[in-house]
Amino acid sequence: MDKISAGYDQLTRFWLDTAPARGVVARLDDSLASALKHHDYPPVVVSLLKQLAGAAVLLASNLKQSAQVILQAQGTGEVPLLCVEATDALTFRIYASVREGAMLPETADIATLVAPDGKGRFVLTISPTNGQMYQGIVALQSTTEASDGSIASLLEDYLSNSQQTETRMWLREDGDVMEAMLLERLPDRSEDAATPGWNEVTVQADAIFDEHFMPFPYSEWLQFSFPGHDVKVHPSQPVSFACSCSIERVLNALKLVGEDELKPLITENGKIETRCEFCGKGYEISAIQFSDLFHGVEASYLPGPRTVQ
């Protein structure tokens, strides 16, 4: 069986005809390798980024318009920033900031690495191409009686509270593969059977995510995961790594930094060289482009490559 048939780097939406639940499942593999190949992160950071990527792709699949889902963990710890962006087209990119020389325990949770002082925050942003941005912010917490400190439980609590709909999320890393699933409780169809039905499918999902990874086609895997239920599956959609960086975005970012801050670089080198934090692509800004940027003239792109490889 090839990887496409087995559902690698694909996402599938589904619903249960016999229980008040619908969901989405995704498997990320080569897409993660592409997103990580320009970085040399410690293993625990790679693991957290993979989990965030799986979660972001699940959430992006619910977007009803051209938009991005951005998940960020921010704090003052050894890993002050974790960031994943996913689009409605099911592309994603990832980035982490790790302090130089940081010694990171391989079993640490996200709050311990990002905000050991308890003052960090987890930010979920929905940024549409057109329209108003939405942002939700929750405190980063380590293991408590109500939460195991995982990314999945953090998002479960946030989604259940913000949407007023009971939601469960599973994130499983097995080697290079990240398998992610989101279940949402639907309105009860039968008062007598609704609660047992929802409880039953979440118990079944818990059980399947405790088993070893099984690369079956979704139509088979979902039916195996929820025995006794009639599972309806939508056609699968591809998931991939893609970076949205561009010379225009680089210029906008430089403008925010300010002319006075950047002018010494132009004076010394005659240009500014920078790289995208997500994909590693290099960009070169000439003195003419720099001058145009801060003096009200449209940027003038000289002949030749705009990037530094």
Side-chain angles (χ1 to χ4, degrees), residues 4-40:
I4 294 178
S5 299
Y8 287 87
D9 292 310
Q10 292 182 62
L11 175 145
T12 291
R13 302 178 64 83
F14 64 93
W15 75 98
L16 278 66
D17 258 357
T18 47
R22 65 182 176 189
V24 56
V25 62
R27 292 182 186 139
L28 309 183
D29 180 33
D30 291 342
S31 58
L32 284 172
S34 297
L36 289 164
K37 70 179 181 180
H38 297 289
H39 305 287
D40 186 22

CSV table of all heavy atoms in Angstrom, one decimal, residues 4-40:
chain,number,residue,atom,x,y,z
A,4,ILE,N,-0.2,7.5,-0.2
A,4,ILE,CA,-1.4,8.2,-0.5
A,4,ILE,C,-2.6,7.3,-0.1
A,4,ILE,O,-3.6,7.8,0.5
A,4,ILE,CB,-1.4,8.6,-2.0
A,4,ILE,CG1,-0.3,9.6,-2.2
A,4,ILE,CG2,-2.8,9.2,-2.3
A,4,ILE,CD1,-0.3,10.1,-3.7
A,5,SER,N,-2.6,6.1,-0.5
A,5,SER,CA,-3.7,5.2,-0.2
A,5,SER,C,-3.9,5.0,1.3
A,5,SER,O,-5.0,4.9,1.8
A,5,SER,CB,-3.5,3.8,-0.8
A,5,SER,OG,-3.4,3.9,-2.2
A,6,ALA,N,-2.7,5.1,2.1
A,6,ALA,CA,-2.8,4.9,3.5
A,6,ALA,C,-3.1,6.2,4.2
A,6,ALA,O,-3.2,6.3,5.5
A,6,ALA,CB,-1.4,4.4,4.0
A,7,GLY,N,-3.3,7.3,3.5
A,7,GLY,CA,-3.8,8.6,4.1
A,7,GLY,C,-2.7,9.5,4.6
A,7,GLY,O,-2.9,10.4,5.4
A,8,TYR,N,-1.4,9.2,4.2
A,8,TYR,CA,-0.3,10.1,4.7
A,8,TYR,C,-0.5,11.5,4.0
A,8,TYR,O,-0.8,11.6,2.8
A,8,TYR,CB,1.0,9.5,4.3
A,8,TYR,CG,1.4,8.3,5.2
A,8,TYR,CD1,1.0,7.1,4.8
A,8,TYR,CD2,2.2,8.5,6.3
A,8,TYR,CE1,1.4,6.0,5.6
A,8,TYR,CE2,2.6,7.4,7.1
A,8,TYR,CZ,2.2,6.2,6.7
A,8,TYR,OH,2.6,5.1,7.5
A,9,ASP,N,-0.2,12.5,4.8
A,9,ASP,CA,-0.3,13.9,4.3
A,9,ASP,C,-1.6,14.2,3.7
A,9,ASP,O,-1.7,14.8,2.6
A,9,ASP,CB,0.9,14.2,3.3
A,9,ASP,CG,2.2,14.2,4.0
A,9,ASP,OD1,2.4,14.9,5.1
A,9,ASP,OD2,3.2,13.5,3.6
A,10,GLN,N,-2.6,13.7,4.4
A,10,GLN,CA,-4.0,13.9,4.0
A,10,GLN,C,-4.9,14.2,5.2
A,10,GLN,O,-4.6,13.8,6.3
A,10,GLN,CB,-4.6,12.7,3.2
A,10,GLN,CG,-3.9,12.4,1.9
A,10,GLN,CD,-4.5,11.3,1.1
A,10,GLN,OE1,-5.7,11.3,0.8
A,10,GLN,NE2,-3.7,10.2,0.9
A,11,LEU,N,-6.0,14.8,4.9
A,11,LEU,CA,-7.0,15.1,5.9
A,11,LEU,C,-8.4,14.6,5.4
A,11,LEU,O,-8.7,14.8,4.3
A,11,LEU,CB,-7.0,16.6,6.2
A,11,LEU,CG,-8.1,17.1,7.2
A,11,LEU,CD1,-7.5,18.2,8.0
A,11,LEU,CD2,-9.3,17.6,6.5
A,12,THR,N,-9.2,14.0,6.3
A,12,THR,CA,-10.5,13.6,6.0
A,12,THR,C,-11.5,14.0,7.0
A,12,THR,O,-11.3,13.8,8.2
A,12,THR,CB,-10.5,12.0,5.8
A,12,THR,OG1,-9.7,11.7,4.7
A,12,THR,CG2,-11.9,11.5,5.6
A,13,ARG,N,-12.6,14.5,6.6
A,13,ARG,CA,-13.7,14.8,7.5
A,13,ARG,C,-14.7,13.6,7.5
A,13,ARG,O,-14.9,12.9,6.5
A,13,ARG,CB,-14.4,16.1,7.0
A,13,ARG,CG,-13.5,17.3,6.9
A,13,ARG,CD,-14.2,18.5,6.4
A,13,ARG,NE,-15.3,18.9,7.3
A,13,ARG,CZ,-15.1,19.7,8.4
A,13,ARG,NH1,-13.9,20.1,8.7
A,13,ARG,NH2,-16.1,20.0,9.2
A,14,PHE,N,-15.4,13.4,8.6
A,14,PHE,CA,-16.3,12.3,8.7
A,14,PHE,C,-17.4,12.6,9.8
A,14,PHE,O,-17.3,13.5,10.5
A,14,PHE,CB,-15.5,11.0,9.1
A,14,PHE,CG,-14.9,11.1,10.5
A,14,PHE,CD1,-15.6,10.6,11.6
A,14,PHE,CD2,-13.6,11.6,10.7
A,14,PHE,CE1,-15.0,10.7,12.9
A,14,PHE,CE2,-13.0,11.7,12.0
A,14,PHE,CZ,-13.7,11.2,13.1
A,15,TRP,N,-18.4,11.8,9.7
A,15,TRP,CA,-19.4,11.9,10.7
A,15,TRP,C,-20.0,10.5,11.0
A,15,TRP,O,-19.9,9.6,10.2
A,15,TRP,CB,-20.5,12.9,10.3
A,15,TRP,CG,-21.5,12.4,9.3
A,15,TRP,CD1,-22.7,11.8,9.5
A,15,TRP,CD2,-21.3,12.4,7.9
A,15,TRP,NE1,-23.3,11.5,8.3
A,15,TRP,CE2,-22.5,11.8,7.3
A,15,TRP,CE3,-20.3,12.8,7.0
A,15,TRP,CZ2,-22.6,11.7,5.9
A,15,TRP,CZ3,-20.4,12.6,5.7
A,15,TRP,CH2,-21.6,12.1,5.1
A,16,LEU,N,-20.6,10.4,12.2
A,16,LEU,CA,-21.2,9.1,12.6
A,16,LEU,C,-22.7,9.2,12.5
A,16,LEU,O,-23.3,10.0,13.1
A,16,LEU,CB,-20.8,8.7,14.0
A,16,LEU,CG,-19.4,8.1,14.2
A,16,LEU,CD1,-18.3,9.1,13.8
A,16,LEU,CD2,-19.2,7.6,15.6
A,17,ASP,N,-23.3,8.3,11.7
A,17,ASP,CA,-24.7,8.3,11.5
A,17,ASP,C,-25.4,7.7,12.8
A,17,ASP,O,-26.6,7.9,13.0
A,17,ASP,CB,-25.1,7.4,10.3
A,17,ASP,CG,-25.5,8.3,9.1
A,17,ASP,OD1,-25.5,9.5,9.3
A,17,ASP,OD2,-25.8,7.7,8.1
A,18,THR,N,-24.6,7.0,13.6
A,18,THR,CA,-25.2,6.3,14.7
A,18,THR,C,-24.8,6.9,16.1
A,18,THR,O,-25.0,6.2,17.1
A,18,THR,CB,-24.8,4.8,14.7
A,18,THR,OG1,-23.4,4.7,14.4
A,18,THR,CG2,-25.5,4.1,13.6
A,19,ALA,N,-24.3,8.1,16.1
A,19,ALA,CA,-23.9,8.7,17.3
A,19,ALA,C,-23.8,10.2,17.0
A,19,ALA,O,-23.6,10.7,15.9
A,19,ALA,CB,-22.5,8.2,17.8
A,20,PRO,N,-24.0,11.1,18.1
A,20,PRO,CA,-24.0,12.5,17.9
A,20,PRO,C,-22.6,13.1,17.8
A,20,PRO,O,-22.1,13.8,18.7
A,20,PRO,CB,-24.7,13.0,19.1
A,20,PRO,CG,-24.4,12.0,20.2
A,20,PRO,CD,-24.3,10.7,19.5
A,21,ALA,N,-21.9,12.7,16.7
A,21,ALA,CA,-20.5,13.1,16.6
A,21,ALA,C,-20.1,13.3,15.2
A,21,ALA,O,-20.5,12.6,14.3
A,21,ALA,CB,-19.6,12.1,17.3
A,22,ARG,N,-19.2,14.3,14.9
A,22,ARG,CA,-18.5,14.4,13.7
A,22,ARG,C,-17.1,14.8,13.9
A,22,ARG,O,-16.7,15.2,15.0
A,22,ARG,CB,-19.2,15.5,12.8
A,22,ARG,CG,-19.1,16.9,13.4
A,22,ARG,CD,-19.8,18.0,12.5
A,22,ARG,NE,-19.7,19.3,13.1
A,22,ARG,CZ,-20.4,20.4,12.7
A,22,ARG,NH1,-21.2,20.2,11.6
A,22,ARG,NH2,-20.3,21.5,13.3
A,23,GLY,N,-16.2,14.6,12.9
A,23,GLY,CA,-14.8,14.8,13.2
A,23,GLY,C,-14.0,15.0,12.0
A,23,GLY,O,-14.5,15.0,10.9
A,24,VAL,N,-12.7,15.1,12.2
A,24,VAL,CA,-11.7,15.3,11.2
A,24,VAL,C,-10.5,14.6,11.6
A,24,VAL,O,-10.1,14.7,12.8
A,24,VAL,CB,-11.5,16.8,10.8
A,24,VAL,CG1,-11.1,17.6,12.0
A,24,VAL,CG2,-10.5,16.9,9.7
A,25,VAL,N,-9.8,13.9,10.7
A,25,VAL,CA,-8.6,13.2,11.1
A,25,VAL,C,-7.5,13.5,10.0
A,25,VAL,O,-7.8,13.7,8.8
A,25,VAL,CB,-8.8,11.7,11.2
A,25,VAL,CG1,-9.3,11.1,9.8
A,25,VAL,CG2,-7.5,11.0,11.6
A,26,ALA,N,-6.2,13.7,10.4
A,26,ALA,CA,-5.2,14.0,9.5
A,26,ALA,C,-3.9,13.2,9.9
A,26,ALA,O,-3.7,12.9,11.1
A,26,ALA,CB,-4.9,15.5,9.5
A,27,ARG,N,-3.1,12.8,8.9
A,27,ARG,CA,-1.8,12.2,9.1
A,27,ARG,C,-0.8,13.1,8.3
A,27,ARG,O,-0.9,13.3,7.1
A,27,ARG,CB,-1.8,10.8,8.5
A,27,ARG,CG,-2.7,9.8,9.3
A,27,ARG,CD,-2.5,8.4,8.7
A,27,ARG,NE,-3.5,7.5,9.4
A,27,ARG,CZ,-4.2,6.6,8.8
A,27,ARG,NH1,-4.1,6.4,7.5
A,27,ARG,NH2,-5.0,5.8,9.4
A,28,LEU,N,0.2,13.5,9.1
A,28,LEU,CA,1.3,14.3,8.5
A,28,LEU,C,2.6,13.5,8.5
A,28,LEU,O,2.9,12.9,9.5
A,28,LEU,CB,1.5,15.6,9.3
A,28,LEU,CG,0.2,16.5,9.6
A,28,LEU,CD1,0.6,17.7,10.3
A,28,LEU,CD2,-0.5,16.8,8.3
A,29,ASP,N,3.3,13.6,7.4
A,29,ASP,CA,4.5,12.8,7.3
A,29,ASP,C,5.6,13.6,6.5
A,29,ASP,O,6.4,14.4,7.1
A,29,ASP,CB,4.2,11.5,6.6
A,29,ASP,CG,5.4,10.6,6.4
A,29,ASP,OD1,6.3,10.6,7.3
A,29,ASP,OD2,5.5,9.8,5.4
A,30,ASP,N,5.6,13.4,5.2
A,30,ASP,CA,6.6,14.2,4.4
A,30,ASP,C,6.4,15.7,4.5
A,30,ASP,O,7.4,16.5,4.4
A,30,ASP,CB,6.5,13.8,2.9
A,30,ASP,CG,7.0,12.4,2.7
A,30,ASP,OD1,7.7,11.8,3.5
A,30,ASP,OD2,6.6,11.8,1.6
A,31,SER,N,5.2,16.1,4.7
A,31,SER,CA,5.0,17.6,4.9
A,31,SER,C,5.7,18.1,6.1
A,31,SER,O,6.3,19.2,6.1
A,31,SER,CB,3.5,17.8,5.0
A,31,SER,OG,2.9,17.1,6.1
A,32,LEU,N,5.8,17.3,7.2
A,32,LEU,CA,6.5,17.7,8.4
A,32,LEU,C,8.0,17.7,8.1
A,32,LEU,O,8.7,18.6,8.6
A,32,LEU,CB,6.2,16.8,9.6
A,32,LEU,CG,4.8,16.9,10.3
A,32,LEU,CD1,4.6,15.8,11.2
A,32,LEU,CD2,4.8,18.3,11.0
A,33,ALA,N,8.5,16.7,7.4
A,33,ALA,CA,9.9,16.7,7.1
A,33,ALA,C,10.3,18.0,6.3
A,33,ALA,O,11.4,18.6,6.5
A,33,ALA,CB,10.2,15.4,6.3
A,34,SER,N,9.4,18.4,5.3
A,34,SER,CA,9.7,19.6,4.5
A,34,SER,C,9.7,20.8,5.4
A,34,SER,O,10.5,21.7,5.2
A,34,SER,CB,8.7,19.7,3.4
A,34,SER,OG,8.7,18.6,2.5
A,35,ALA,N,8.8,20.9,6.4
A,35,ALA,CA,8.7,22.1,7.2
A,35,ALA,C,9.8,22.2,8.2
A,35,ALA,O,10.2,23.3,8.6
A,35,ALA,CB,7.3,22.0,8.0
A,36,LEU,N,10.4,21.0,8.5
A,36,LEU,CA,11.5,21.0,9.6
A,36,LEU,C,12.9,21.0,9.0
A,36,LEU,O,13.9,21.2,9.7
A,36,LEU,CB,11.3,19.8,10.5
A,36,LEU,CG,10.1,19.9,11.4
A,36,LEU,CD1,9.8,18.5,12.0
A,36,LEU,CD2,10.4,20.9,12.6
A,37,LYS,N,13.1,20.8,7.7
A,37,LYS,CA,14.4,20.5,7.1
A,37,LYS,C,15.3,21.7,7.2
A,37,LYS,O,16.6,21.5,7.2
A,37,LYS,CB,14.3,20.0,5.7
A,37,LYS,CG,13.8,21.0,4.7
A,37,LYS,CD,13.8,20.4,3.3
A,37,LYS,CE,13.3,21.4,2.2
A,37,LYS,NZ,13.3,20.8,0.9
A,38,HIS,N,14.8,22.9,7.3
A,38,HIS,CA,15.7,24.1,7.4
A,38,HIS,C,16.0,24.5,8.9
A,38,HIS,O,16.6,25.5,9.1
A,38,HIS,CB,15.0,25.3,6.7
A,38,HIS,CG,14.8,25.1,5.3
A,38,HIS,ND1,15.8,25.1,4.4
A,38,HIS,CD2,13.6,24.9,4.5
A,38,HIS,CE1,15.3,24.9,3.1
A,38,HIS,NE2,14.0,24.7,3.2
A,39,HIS,N,15.6,23.6,9.8
A,39,HIS,CA,15.8,24.0,11.2
A,39,HIS,C,16.5,22.8,11.9
A,39,HIS,O,16.5,21.7,11.5
A,39,HIS,CB,14.4,24.2,11.9
A,39,HIS,CG,13.6,25.2,11.3
A,39,HIS,ND1,13.9,26.6,11.3
A,39,HIS,CD2,12.5,25.1,10.5
A,39,HIS,CE1,13.0,27.3,10.7
A,39,HIS,NE2,12.1,26.4,10.2
A,40,ASP,N,17.2,23.1,13.0
A,40,ASP,CA,17.8,22.1,13.8
A,40,ASP,C,17.4,22.3,15.3
A,40,ASP,O,18.1,22.7,16.2
A,40,ASP,CB,19.4,22.3,13.7
A,40,ASP,CG,20.1,21.2,14.5
A,40,ASP,OD1,19.5,20.1,14.7
A,40,ASP,OD2,21.3,21.5,14.8
